[in-house]
C-alpha cells in the first residue's frame, strides 16, 4: 500500500510539474499503474472487471496524449506543453483528456469502475486521478477549441444529471455527480482556467467528505443508507448538508464555484450556455436530494430487510469533521 500511494503521489507530482510532454505522459502512466492494484484489491470478479476497464481506457488515453504531442512536435518542433498550437493535436489532446477524466462522450467507463472499487479507492479515482489531466487542460487551455469544450461540458452536465436519476448504488450516483461537476469545470476552462481549478479543489473537498462519511457508515446502497441514522445521527445530519453543498445550494460551499462560473460566462456574453448548464444542475440536485432524503429525512419502514444498526460511541474522525466543516462553511472566501 505504501508503495502504491507513494507512486500515486509521485505520478501526480511528475505530471503537474512537467514542461515536456513525455514527462507528463510518464506521470500519467505511473498513476494508472499505481491505482490498478488498489481497484482490484478485493478479488471479486466485479473489481477485476473494473480494473481491466480502467486499464484499457487509460492506456488508450495515454496513447492519444503521446500521439497529439508527437503530431505537434512534428509540425512545430516544440515539445513544450504550453506550446501546443497545431489544431489537430489540440483536438486529439482534448479527446485524450476527456477520456482520462470521464467527460461525455467518453464517460462510460467511470461509473462501472467506481462501482467495482472500494469507497476509499473510489475517492482516489474521483479526486487525485482527475488532478493531472485537469492540470494539462489548464496549461493548454488557451489553444483548445472553445466550441468543442462547451459542447462537451453541456453534454456532461446533462448526461451526468440524467443517468444519475435512476441509480440506487451510491458509488454510481457519485460517479454521475462527478461527471456533471466535470462539465462545470470544462465549460469555463478556456475563459478563466483559475475558476476550473477552484471548482476542482472545492469539489475534491466535498467529495472527500461524502466518501469518508459513507466509508465510516459502511454504506454502499440507498437501502442500507436508510438504516444508518440510528448509528450516528449527528454525522447523518451533516452528510445531509454536505450533499446539498455538492448540489450547489447557496449558503454552502458548493454554491461558490457555480456562482463564479455563471458570473464569468455572463461576462463573456454566453448567456445561453450559463442558463442551460444552470438548469441541468437541477437534475443533479434531484439525486443529491434523494441521497440526503434517504440519509436523514426518512424513517425506515418497520419491516425492513436490513439489520438495524446499533448506535456506537466511536468518535467521528477529525478528518471527516474538518472536511465536512470546510465543505459547508467556505462560501465567505469568495
Amino acid at each position: 500500500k505504501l508503495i502504491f500511494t507513494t507512486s500515486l503521489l509521485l505520478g501526480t507530482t511528475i505530471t503537474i510539474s512537467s514542461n515536456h510532454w513525455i514527462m507528463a505522459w510518464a506521470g500519467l502512466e505511473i498513476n494508472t499503474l499505481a491505482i490498478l492494484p488498489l481497484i482490484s484489491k478485493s478479488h471479486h470478479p466485479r473489481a477485476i472487471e473494473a480494473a481491466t476497464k480502467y486499464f484499457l481506457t487509460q492506456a488508450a488515453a495515454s496513447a492519444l496524449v503521446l500521439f497529439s504531442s508527437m503530431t505537434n512536435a512534428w509540425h512545430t518542433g516544440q515539445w513544450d506543453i504550453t506550446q501546443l498550437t497545431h489544431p489537430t493535436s489540440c483536438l486529439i489532446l482534448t479527446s485524450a483528456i476527456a477520456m482520462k477524466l470521464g467527460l461525455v462522450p467518453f464517460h462510460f467507463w467511470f461509473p462501472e469502475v467506481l462501482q467495482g472499487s472500494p469507497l476509499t479507492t473510489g475517492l482516489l479515482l474521483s479526486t487525485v486521478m482527475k488532478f493531472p489531466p485537469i492540470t494539462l487542460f489548464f496549461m493548454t487551455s488557451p489553444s483548445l477549441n472553445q466550441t468543442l469544450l462547451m459542447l462537451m461540458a453541456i453534454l456532461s452536465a446533462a448526461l451526468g444529471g440524467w443517468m444519475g436519476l435512476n441509480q440506487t448504488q451510491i458509488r454510481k450516483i457519485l460517479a454521475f455527480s462527478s461527471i456533471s461537476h466535470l462539465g462545470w469545470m470544462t465549460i469555463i476552462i478556456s475563459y478563466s482556467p483559475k475558476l476550473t481549478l477552484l471548482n476542482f479543489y472545492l469539489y475534491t473537498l466535498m467529495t472527500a467528505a461524502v466518501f469518508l462519511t459513507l466509508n465510516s457508515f459502511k454504506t454502499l446502497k440507498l437501502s442500507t443508507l436508510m438504516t444508518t441514522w440510528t448509528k450516528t445521527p449527528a454525522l447523518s445530519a451533516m452528510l445531509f448538508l454536505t450533499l446539498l453543498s455538492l448540489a450547489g445550494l447557496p449558503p454552502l460551499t458548493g454554491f461558490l464555484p457555480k456562482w463564479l462560473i455563471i458570473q464569468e460566462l455572463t461576462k463573456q456574453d454566453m448567456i445561453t450556455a450559463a442558463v442551460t448548464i444552470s438548469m441541468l444542475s437541477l437534475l443533479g440536485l434531484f439525486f443529491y436530494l434523494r441521497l440526503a432524503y434517504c440519509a436523514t429525512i426518512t424513517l425506515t419502514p418497520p419491516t425492513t430487510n436490513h439489520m438495524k444498526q446499533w448506535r456506537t460511541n466511536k468518535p467521528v474522525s477529525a478528518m471527516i469533521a474538518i472536511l465536512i466543516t470546510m465543505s459547508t462553511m467556505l462560501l465567505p472566501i469568495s
Side-chain angles (χ1 to χ4, degrees):
K1 260 192 171 166
L2 184 68
I3 293 177
F4 297 142
T5 39
T6 42
S7 304
L8 267 180
L9 290 172
L10 174 77
T12 308
T13 318
I14 287 178
T15 304
I16 64 182
S17 58
S18 59
N19 284 319
H20 197 288
W21 273 113
I22 299 290
M23 284 299 281
W25 169 81
L28 291 172
E29 283 296 304
I30 294 173
N31 252 355
T32 303
L33 293 176
I35 195 94
L36 282 173
L38 295 176
I39 299 174
S40 54
K41 191 172 59 191
S42 62
H43 293 291
H44 191 273
R46 191 69 197 261
I48 307 295
E49 181 190 349
T52 314
K53 283 179 179 168
Y54 185 76
F55 175 72
L56 290 174
T57 47
Q58 297 299 313
S62 289
L64 280 179
V65 166
L66 263 188
F67 184 49
S68 78
S69 52
M70 279 172 63
T71 314
N72 190 58
W74 186 280
H75 283 282
T76 61
Q78 279 288 354
W79 277 105
D80 199 320
I81 293 184
T82 47
Q83 304 291 325
L84 191 81
T85 45
H86 195 258
T88 315
S89 38
C90 287
L91 262 170
I92 300 172
L93 182 82
T94 309
S95 57
I97 291 187
M99 273 173 96
K100 281 268 173 211
L101 292 172
L103 272 173
V104 175
F106 307 106
H107 62 288
F108 295 99
W109 62 274
F110 190 52
E112 302 288 327
V113 170
L114 217 60
Q115 180 56 35
S117 49
L119 278 170
T120 38
T121 311
L123 172 61
L124 285 177
L125 276 172
S126 45
T127 55
V128 180
M129 301 302 289
K130 300 280 166 98
F131 190 42
I134 281 184
T135 51
L136 287 181
F137 247 173
F138 183 85
M139 288 190 277
T140 54
S141 58
S143 50
L144 296 177
N145 184 343
Q146 295 180 349
T147 325
L148 178 69
L149 285 176
M150 203 183 77
L151 194 67
M152 283 165 87
I154 285 177
L155 279 174
S156 292
L159 281 174
W162 267 318
M163 294 170 79
L165 294 180
N166 206 14
Q167 303 294 335
T168 55
Q169 295 284 350
I170 294 178
R171 285 169 294 184
K172 277 200 173 169
I173 293 181
L174 286 169
F176 286 118
S177 103
S178 177
I179 292 171
S180 54
H181 272 274
L182 280 169
W184 279 88
M185 290 174 220
T186 318
I187 198 165
I188 202 67
I189 185 91
S190 44
Y191 301 102
S192 167
K194 284 199 180 77
L195 275 185
T196 300
L197 284 186
L198 174 76
N199 193 344
F200 179 73
Y201 296 145
L202 293 181
Y203 164 73
T204 304
L205 264 182
M206 298 182 284
T207 313
V210 171
F211 266 108
L212 291 174
T213 309
L214 292 171
N215 193 37
S216 72
F217 284 164
K218 302 277 177 283
T219 314
L220 296 173
K221 291 198 292 291
L222 284 180
S223 48
T224 46
L225 187 61
M226 283 187 172
T227 56
T228 53
W229 61 273
T230 52
K231 216 184 199 176
T232 41
L235 193 53
S236 295
M238 290 314 289
L239 177 65
F240 172 72
L241 283 181
T242 316
L243 285 164
L244 291 187
S245 179
L246 260 178
L249 290 185
L252 308 163
T253 311
F255 178 57
L256 171 62
K258 286 190 166 45
W259 175 29
L260 293 177
I261 285 174
I262 290 172
Q263 188 183 357
E264 185 61 37
L265 285 175
T266 42
K267 270 185 201 161
Q268 300 286 351
D269 222 21
M270 295 168 61
I271 313 290
T272 347
V275 170
T276 316
I277 203 162
S278 318
M279 298 300 263
L280 288 171
S281 70
L282 288 175
L283 291 168
L285 177 64
F286 180 82
F287 57 75
Y288 292 122
L289 271 176
R290 192 170 62 190
L291 268 174
Y293 195 75
C294 288
T296 47
I297 307 175
T298 53
L299 291 179
T300 51
T303 55
T304 168
N305 305 333
H306 292 282
M307 295 286 290
K308 275 283 188 293
Q309 292 172 337
W310 290 95
R311 186 179 293 200
T312 51
N313 283 333
K314 196 180 67 179
V316 176
S317 80
M319 186 70 182
I320 297 182
I322 294 169
L323 282 170
I324 285 185
T325 313
M326 287 177 76
S327 55
T328 48
M329 308 282 188
L330 274 190
L331 188 67
I333 65 167
S334 61

